[in-house]
Amino acid sequence: MRTSLTNSINGYVICSQCQSEFESGTTDAGTIQEYSRLDVGFTDIGLQVWCRRHEINVCHIDFEGNELETDFRCLLEYSDN
Ligand SMILES: [Zn+2]
């Protein structure tokens, strides 16, 4: 089931510097996701992805003043154990 509440990512946002270092094989990370240290947050104009490792902008989406529909709910699995 794919909804806005399940992982629907089909294109990861990756810091180009992190990607270069990971692909050079000089890191001990198993995946680029493990190596990445990204902060994601709202800004005055939209939403920014920031690389904590390199202290650089990765992606900054300008909402151009639009209020976009956003879902902050999450699905949690419960167990009876
Ligand atoms: Zn980086």
Side-chain angles (χ1 to χ4, degrees):
M1 176 181 71
R2 286 204 168 224
T3 71
S4 63
L5 303 183
T6 61
N7 187 341
S8 307
I9 296 171
N10 53 26
Y12 282 95
V13 174
I14 297 170
C15 167
S16 59
Q17 296 295 308
C18 285
Q19 185 175 19
S20 295
E21 292 171 12
F22 177 75
E23 289 177 353
S24 75
T26 57
T27 75
D28 56 1
T31 65
I32 186 68
Q33 284 89 351
E34 290 171 13
Y35 190 63
S36 294
R37 293 184 180 172
L38 300 178
D39 284 333
V40 179
F42 292 105
T43 67
D44 289 345
I45 64 163
L47 185 124
Q48 184 173 38
V49 180
W50 180 263
C51 178
R52 256 183 288 149
R53 184 184 297 280
H54 295 104
E55 291 290 314
I56 56 172
N57 176 63
V58 176
C59 176
H60 200 163
I61 302 168
D62 186 344
F63 294 167
E64 298 181 330
N66 295 297
E67 287 190 27
L68 306 180
E69 202 163 309
T70 307
D71 200 338
F72 286 103
R73 297 173 300 163
C74 65
L75 294 175
L76 300 175
E77 284 189 32
Y78 290 96
S79 135
D80 291 336
N81 300 330

